[in-house]
């Protein structure tokens, strides 16, 4: 089998995807068909002659989509992202393989997180607009020194660790929580593991870097918010559903939450990554969130650096090559991967 015999139906294509994948594909030579719709049960039939499909974060790869793909003899779902909460792995198990890009540039997200924090703290987003209106006053832009403040990191995997590394220069007290602590990293990057409640109670800034799982959906909710310091800053560059947005809005209205930086949102689909500038927003929760001057929403762009795009393209196409040409899936995931050693991937998900 030659590389050119392998057909990839590439869903949810944006111009920058095409550019990075076409460039990297010069080294592979797969036959890629670029499609605009995202992958879900209503579009899966577009993968008619494909051997593999390539999907992104807002695809919805449920049991019905998987049924349609397997009916068409598609063998592989190649996610071009790290998170896989949008795939029904139980439905995929034994029928179709799923691979992902477990790591591309954790520093892309870590550095972006610093950007959100400082933008919100020093009100740079508002200052930009004010100066453009020839208003050079600084009333309302008072921030605080980060030095000496406490920051809580939830999830110290690749991105959480990269964030702990880049935050070091600010002289903050860094607390962390992870279901699988990494004491070596704590020593190396000078942070302290504490119980989750302590993060909530003592942090001036809380930054989420854990994946979305069945256990932690709505981690930030009315009761966790009640434990937090008045005026806390919340940053979410991970997955929207980690925060119960209606509770966040109540916290913002009461002033309990001082500010929020959100690169992700519970209901991104249909909005994030799309140009909706000539349409009404039908999502009232999103619309309400956008009214707060102390909320900074960006459209899931923390990953968006040249280095990350090139790395995503290379790992995705390498995943396809590994699967079809070598019969292996080093970046495979399956329904067994949620705990212990995975019998299907024969891979420890924590390794
Ligand atoms: P990773 O797998 O390296 O690390 C995740 C860490 O979270 C692990 O150490 C794990 O033990 C921990 N964890 C799991 N459940 C937890 C819980 N309930 N509480 C605390 N910790 C928990 O993943 P990563 O590469 O660091 O990525 C983290 C997340 O960032 C991804 O799952 C994805 O959702 C998100 N992400 C966002 C963007 C973006 O552009 N905004 C880009 C890439 C990744």
């Amino acid at each position: 089998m030659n590389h050119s015999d392998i057909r990839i139906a590439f869903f949810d294509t944006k111009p920058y995807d095409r550019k990075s994948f076409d460039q990297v594909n010069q080294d592979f030579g797969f036959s890629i068909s670029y499609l605009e719709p995202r992958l879900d049960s209503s579009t899966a039939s577009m993968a008619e002659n494909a051997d593999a499909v390539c999907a992104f974060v807002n695809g919805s790869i449920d049991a019905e989509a998987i049924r349609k793909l397997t009916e068409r003899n598609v063998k592989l779902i190649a996610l071009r992202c790290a998170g896989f909460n949008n795939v029904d792995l139980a439905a995929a198990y034994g029928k179709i393989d799923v691979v992902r890009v477990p790591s591309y540039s954790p520093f892309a997200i870590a550095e972006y997180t610093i950007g959100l924090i400082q933008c919100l703290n020093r009100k740079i987003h508002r200052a930009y607009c004010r100066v453009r209106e020839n208003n050079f006053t600084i009333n309302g832009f008072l921030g605080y020194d980060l030095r000496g403040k406490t920051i809580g990191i939830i999830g110290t995997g690749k991105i959480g660790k990269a964030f702990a590394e880049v935050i070091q220069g600010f002289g903050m007290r860094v607390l962390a929580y992870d279901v699988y602590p990494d004491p070596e990293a704590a020593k190396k990057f000078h942070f302290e593991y504490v119980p989750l409640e302590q993060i909530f109670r003592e942090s001036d800034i809380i930054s989420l870097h854990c994946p979305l799982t069945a256990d932690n959906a709505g981690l930030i909710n009315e009761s966790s918010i009640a434990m937090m310091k008045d005026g806390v800053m919340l940053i979410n560059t991970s997955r929207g559903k980690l925060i119960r947005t209606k509770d966040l809005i109540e916290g913002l209205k009461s002033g309990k939450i001082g500010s929020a930086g959100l690169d992700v949102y519970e209901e991104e689909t249909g909005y994030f990554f799309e140009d909706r500038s000539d349409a009404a927003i039908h999502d009232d929760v999103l619309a309400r969130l956008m009214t707060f001057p102390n909320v900074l929403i960006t459209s899931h762009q923390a990953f968006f650096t040249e280095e990350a795009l090139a790395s995503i393209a290379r790992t995705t196409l390498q995943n396809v090559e590994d699967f079809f040409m070598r019969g292996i899936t080093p970046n495979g995931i399956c329904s067994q991967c949620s705990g212990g050693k995975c019998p299907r991937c024969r891979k420890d998900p924590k390794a």
Side-chain angles (χ1 to χ4, degrees):
M1 186 188 258
N2 296 316
H3 285 78
S4 59
D5 297 332
I6 297 163
R7 292 154 302 182
I8 304 172
F10 192 104
F11 284 82
D12 210 355
T13 309
K14 299 285 185 272
Y16 46 83
D17 292 317
R18 193 171 185 147
K19 193 171 166 208
S20 58
F21 273 80
D22 276 349
Q23 190 160 4
V24 172
N25 196 35
Q26 287 175 12
D27 297 340
F28 288 88
F30 293 117
S31 299
I32 304 179
S33 304
Y34 292 102
L35 306 167
E36 274 188 25
R38 65 191 181 90
L39 177 58
D40 62 20
S41 57
S42 68
T43 61
S45 54
M46 295 174 82
E48 193 57 56
N49 297 310
D51 303 292
V53 290
C54 183
F56 193 47
V57 288
N58 287 334
S60 174
I61 308 157
D62 58 12
E64 179 62 5
I66 287 166
R67 189 183 63 75
K68 288 187 173 169
L69 293 176
T70 51
E71 265 176 15
R72 284 163 179 79
N73 220 13
V74 176
K75 307 260 181 342
L76 183 70
I77 299 169
L79 299 172
R80 54 181 190 280
C81 54
F84 49 89
N85 51 288
N86 56 339
V87 184
D88 185 338
L89 293 175
Y93 188 67
K95 299 194 189 95
I96 189 165
D97 280 76
V98 185
V99 290
R100 65 172 179 143
V101 183
S103 176
Y104 31 99
S105 171
F107 287 99
I109 297 98
E111 291 169 10
Y112 190 81
T113 304
I114 302 283
L116 286 179
I117 291 172
Q118 277 301 62
C119 195
L120 279 170
N121 173 27
R122 307 302 295 273
K123 286 84 177 168
I124 298 168
H125 56 307
R126 295 178 57 203
Y128 172 79
C129 298
R130 201 181 278 184
V131 167
R132 285 175 70 89
E133 299 276 310
N134 293 350
N135 179 348
F136 296 91
T137 62
I138 60 171
N139 302 330
F141 293 167
L142 191 66
Y144 53 76
D145 286 5
L146 292 183
R147 178 168 290 274
K149 300 293 183 301
T150 299
I151 186 158
I153 304 175
I154 300 180
T156 55
K158 290 175 285 297
I159 296 171
K161 282 200 271 274
F163 180 62
E165 184 176 349
V166 297
I167 199 84
Q168 280 190 84
F170 288 93
M172 302 184 79
R173 173 182 177 231
V174 185
L175 304 180
Y177 170 76
D178 195 297
V179 286
Y180 297 100
D182 179 346
E184 284 302 308
K187 211 187 291 173
K188 188 169 172 196
F189 301 124
H190 308 104
F191 64 82
E192 181 192 352
Y193 279 110
V194 296
L196 190 55
E197 246 194 68
Q198 193 176 342
I199 300 251
F200 292 147
R201 292 194 189 285
E202 296 184 12
S203 302
D204 298 290
I205 301 171
I206 296 173
S207 194
L208 303 180
H209 297 290
C210 58
L212 175 67
T213 65
D215 300 332
N216 66 12
L219 179 75
I220 305 299
N221 57 39
E222 191 182 356
S223 60
S224 51
I225 290 171
M227 287 183 226
M228 294 176 194
K229 284 174 101 165
D230 290 347
V232 64
M233 180 191 290
L234 271 180
I235 302 289
N236 189 6
T237 57
S238 202
R239 283 293 180 268
K241 281 194 167 68
L242 291 169
I243 297 182
R244 202 171 292 156
T245 313
K246 286 187 175 159
D247 294 353
L248 171 69
I249 288 173
E250 289 310 312
L252 286 159
K253 278 161 71 179
S254 71
K256 177 79 181 171
I257 294 176
S259 54
L262 309 173
D263 187 50
V264 288
Y265 170 62
E266 279 191 77
E267 303 295 340
E268 290 180 14
T269 305
Y271 292 95
F272 281 32
F273 306 111
E274 307 302 331
D275 180 2
R276 301 275 311 220
S277 53
D278 59 355
I281 291 187
H282 294 286
D283 179 336
D284 290 345
V285 177
L286 178 61
R288 180 68 179 99
L289 257 189
M290 286 162 59
T291 65
F292 293 98
N294 49 348
V295 172
L296 182 50
I297 300 173
T298 56
S299 193
H300 207 136
Q301 68 170 74
F303 75 100
F304 200 47
T305 65
E306 285 173 14
E307 290 80 359
L309 283 191
S311 173
I312 287 168
R314 187 155 298 280
T315 304
T316 303
L317 296 183
Q318 187 61 56
N319 283 342
V320 174
E321 186 183 81
D322 285 343
F323 179 79
F324 286 102
M325 319 296 269
R326 299 196 187 85
I328 55 170
T329 56
N331 292 319
I333 41 173
C334 74
S335 58
Q336 308 300 304
C337 270
S338 49
K341 227 173 167 66
C342 173
R344 184 147 190 260
C345 306
R346 290 176 294 285
K347 194 177 75 139
D348 183 346
K350 285 302 300 168

